[in-house]
Amino acid sequence: MSAGPPEARTGGPPMITIKLTGADAVKAHLLGLSKQVSVAAAQAITQTAAKIKEATPAELDRTLDRPTPFTKRGLFVKRATPANLTAVVGFMRIQAEYMRWQIEGGTRNPGAAGLKLPLALKTDAFGNIPRGLIAQLIAVARKEKKLGKVRARRIGITAKTGLFYGDPTSVGGNKFPRGIYKEIAIGGGRTKLQPLIIFPNKPAHYKPRFDFQRLGETVAGREFDALFAAALKNALTTAR
């Protein structure tokens, strides 16, 4: 039995494939019991994939910085069958879109909107920008709405703070990227801009951090034999 590597970025979301190797040889040794072997193998492979899924959230906690509950529950298992002794455990589509960078690494192009990097802004408990906050701050900067006191307190700015959204040409001799900035009074009727969130139009480089393949191999090596033995015993007993 083997746990194969996650699919490449161009081939689909990160997944671990669980296959039974040498199945034909096992069947040959158990004369006339190939049907029971296939049933037991499919059951054990599927159970092994489920064990990998169960072990993934704790490994995410260990290797990543505050993974969200949404990330940790975003896995699926595709069951093996007697006709196809292969099971798959992987991340669902939305989670896979960002988890692939933690698993495979690589260079991520920013796209038309640029990257979203919080600087002087309070993030949520998981280090993320609260949902809908960017659009709200842009609307405040454009004088289309006001920032409520409760939300202002949560993100660490006052409700009276003036906001700027755009591309500052030069502030204090420094070139700033497009972003959302807080206007700070510095005396004499002058203000300066402090970046809250910037959207740099440059690639982001990622190193692999979450070894999904190693986790799959470790769990499969630890669990499969006992699961297969139990499933085969049950299948042989049922066949009598």
Side-chain angles (χ1 to χ4, degrees):
M1 199 281 310
S2 64
E7 289 193 10
R9 181 156 42 249
T10 56
M15 299 184 296
I16 294 292
T17 303
I18 312 299
K19 295 182 179 181
L20 181 64
T21 57
D24 291 337
V26 173
K27 293 177 186 178
H29 284 294
L30 299 172
L31 298 175
L33 298 175
S34 59
K35 179 180 179 180
Q36 287 76 21
V37 171
S38 295
V39 170
Q43 180 180 346
I45 292 169
T46 299
Q47 290 174 338
T48 300
K51 292 286 187 181
I52 295 172
K53 178 184 174 183
E54 292 172 5
T56 298
E59 187 67 10
L60 288 169
D61 280 331
R62 191 183 71 82
T63 58
L64 302 183
D65 180 20
R66 294 171 292 170
T68 66
F70 179 75
T71 297
K72 292 189 286 185
R73 65 173 179 262
L75 291 114
F76 69 90
V77 170
K78 181 180 179 182
R79 300 175 63 88
T81 67
N84 180 16
L85 298 178
T86 302
V88 174
V89 55
F91 286 91
M92 291 183 280
R93 181 182 60 82
I94 295 176
Q95 289 87 346
E97 289 178 358
Y98 55 86
M99 277 304 302
R100 67 175 74 244
W101 304 108
Q102 305 300 327
I103 294 170
E104 303 167 8
T107 299
R108 179 184 181 186
N109 293 318
L115 301 176
K116 300 177 180 64
L117 303 181
L119 297 182
L121 183 75
K122 287 185 180 179
T123 54
D124 64 18
F126 304 101
N128 298 321
I129 300 171
R131 184 184 297 273
L133 179 60
I134 291 179
Q136 184 180 20
L137 292 180
I138 290 175
V140 171
R142 290 173 172 170
K143 307 298 189 281
E144 296 172 356
K145 65 188 306 184
K146 294 183 178 180
L147 188 62
K149 292 182 179 180
V150 174
R151 186 134 210 199
R153 185 169 59 252
R154 287 177 179 172
I155 62 178
I157 62 178
T158 68
K160 297 181 180 180
T161 298
L163 298 180
F164 170 85
Y165 168 68
D167 302 271
T169 54
S170 180
V171 179
N174 297 313
K175 179 73 175 179
F176 286 89
R178 181 167 54 93
I180 301 171
Y181 294 81
K182 177 170 65 174
E183 297 177 335
I184 301 175
I186 58 176
R190 297 178 300 159
T191 62
K192 68 176 183 179
L193 297 179
Q194 178 182 7
L196 296 176
I197 305 172
I198 60 173
F199 313 113
N201 190 19
K202 61 181 181 180
H205 303 285
Y206 295 85
K207 293 183 179 180
R209 299 172 62 195
F210 179 62
D211 196 338
F212 201 21
Q213 181 178 353
R214 182 193 59 79
L215 175 64
E217 291 173 347
T218 300
V219 174
R222 182 179 68 229
E223 302 287 350
F224 178 77
D225 287 348
L227 292 171
F228 181 56
L232 183 59
K233 180 179 179 181
N234 181 67
L236 294 176
T237 301
T238 304
R240 291 172 184 168

